[in-house]
Amino acid sequence: MEQIQTYWKVLPVESSMAQADLLHQLIEEAETIVIGIGAGMSAATGFTYVGKRFTDAFPDFIEKYGFFDMLQASVFDFEDAREYWAFKSRFSLLNFFDQPVGQAYVDLRHIISDKNYHIITTNADNAFYAADFDMDKVFRIQGEYGLWQCSEHCHQQTYHDEALIRQMAREQSDMKIPANLVPYCPKCGAVMEMNKRDEVKGMVEDDHFHEQKARYEQFLEENQAKKTLFLEIGVGHTTPQFIKHPFQQMTKAIPKALFVTMNQKDYFTPHAIRSQTMRIDEDIANVLHSVAIE
């Protein structure tokens, strides 16, 4: 711990500081900030997949299938393409096209606006667009709810058609869209699906995805010798291979690095980086807002 304290001047007094003040000082000290955003960030700003937001939008699907939340429903094997797109069109409007601006995202953008940063997120919603982030600094590794892909992954290209999504939502009845509105792959004729990574099939990764990936990897390469803050916000343990584990591995490889996780739930920290790890366990939205107005 003594060695890491020589790099980060705030560490010797961190135990006596408010968490918002600590985060502010860490961000000020960091030469590089790599930010990982998970579902907890969107939940903290009100974009939850459970509760009233879910029950108001999908009462018929809940009644028929007994769904507990939107994430469970989003990976369900619906009975046909018409029912699939009845659900997904409403889901896309709620979590992408009509999703409002989230205050926690606005606060984060304000906090890091003049910093040397890059973001990787497993979220596929519209939050970064809505909060007016520089999207060249955001790597969306799990896809986007506003994009489609061939369900057979026959080619690496994504598509979008907001007008058709709105028509699906408007004209559906009995949890089915009209048959003539079902989108099909222009290459192989398979039904189209939402562009979201599946744990078995993976995801269509088009040129735009690879551009995002290349910018993120270039940022990491160019800044690997600097005093780096790996800031993980609202990341759970559903897909640790995308943010949590890489952040921990990079922290171990960079003597000047700190791994700071913002999460009310405590997850296992490898012994090798415990002296370089801190947890902020207060409400994410409140902490970010406090930092933003300092």
Side-chain angles (χ1 to χ4, degrees), residues 264-282:
Q264 293 181 330
K265 186 173 182 179
D266 196 10
Y267 292 96
F268 174 77
T269 300
H271 291 275
I273 63 164
R274 290 192 176 177
S275 65
Q276 294 171 266
T277 299
M278 305 176 68
R279 181 165 71 100
I280 292 175
D281 61 5
E282 294 178 3

Side-chain angles (χ1 to χ4, degrees), residues 219-237:
F219 179 86
L220 295 177
E221 176 68 24
E222 291 175 349
N223 291 280
Q224 61 181 332
K226 295 180 180 177
K227 185 163 70 171
T228 303
L229 174 62
F230 289 100
L231 179 59
E232 181 195 80
I233 308 178
V235 176
H237 217 275

Side-chain angles (χ1 to χ4, degrees), residues 34-37 118-122 139 141 216 242-243 247:
V34 186
I35 304 170
I37 302 289
H118 210 102
I119 294 169
I120 179 172
T121 181
T122 51
F139 177 24
I141 196 169
Y216 177 66
F242 295 123
I243 295 176
F247 275 25

Side-chain angles (χ1 to χ4, degrees), residues 179-234:
N180 65 301
L181 298 185
V182 175
Y184 293 95
C185 175
K187 302 291 186 181
C188 74
V191 174
M192 299 291 272
E193 66 181 8
M194 187 178 288
N195 176 232
K196 189 71 171 70
R197 193 178 301 280
D198 179 90
E199 64 179 356
V200 177
K201 295 194 305 179
M203 182 184 82
V204 165
E205 299 176 353
D206 62 6
D207 290 344
H208 179 54
F209 174 90
H210 288 288
E211 289 167 3
Q212 295 178 59
K213 184 173 185 286
R215 285 193 295 266
Y216 177 66
E217 291 176 344
Q218 181 179 357
F219 179 86
L220 295 177
E221 176 68 24
E222 291 175 349
N223 291 280
Q224 61 181 332
K226 295 180 180 177
K227 185 163 70 171
T228 303
L229 174 62
F230 289 100
L231 179 59
E232 181 195 80
I233 308 178

Side-chain angles (χ1 to χ4, degrees), residues 63-130:
E63 180 179 2
K64 180 175 180 179
Y65 291 115
F67 292 140
F68 295 108
D69 58 51
M70 266 185 271
L71 291 181
Q72 176 199 22
S74 68
V75 297
F76 185 73
D77 186 14
F78 292 101
E79 64 182 38
D80 59 23
R82 294 175 62 196
E83 188 176 77
Y84 172 92
W85 278 108
F87 178 87
K88 293 295 184 178
S89 59
R90 283 190 242 169
F91 183 94
S92 295
L93 292 180
L94 184 64
N95 297 299
F96 196 88
F97 294 111
D98 292 339
Q99 182 173 278
V101 178
Q103 186 60 49
Y105 284 89
V106 174
D107 289 335
L108 178 63
R109 178 176 56 80
H110 175 75
I111 292 166
I112 62 174
S113 60
D114 62 347
K115 306 300 179 183
N116 180 36
Y117 77 91
H118 210 102
I119 294 169
I120 179 172
T121 181
T122 51
N123 296 348
D125 62 15
N126 195 40
F128 288 101
Y129 292 112

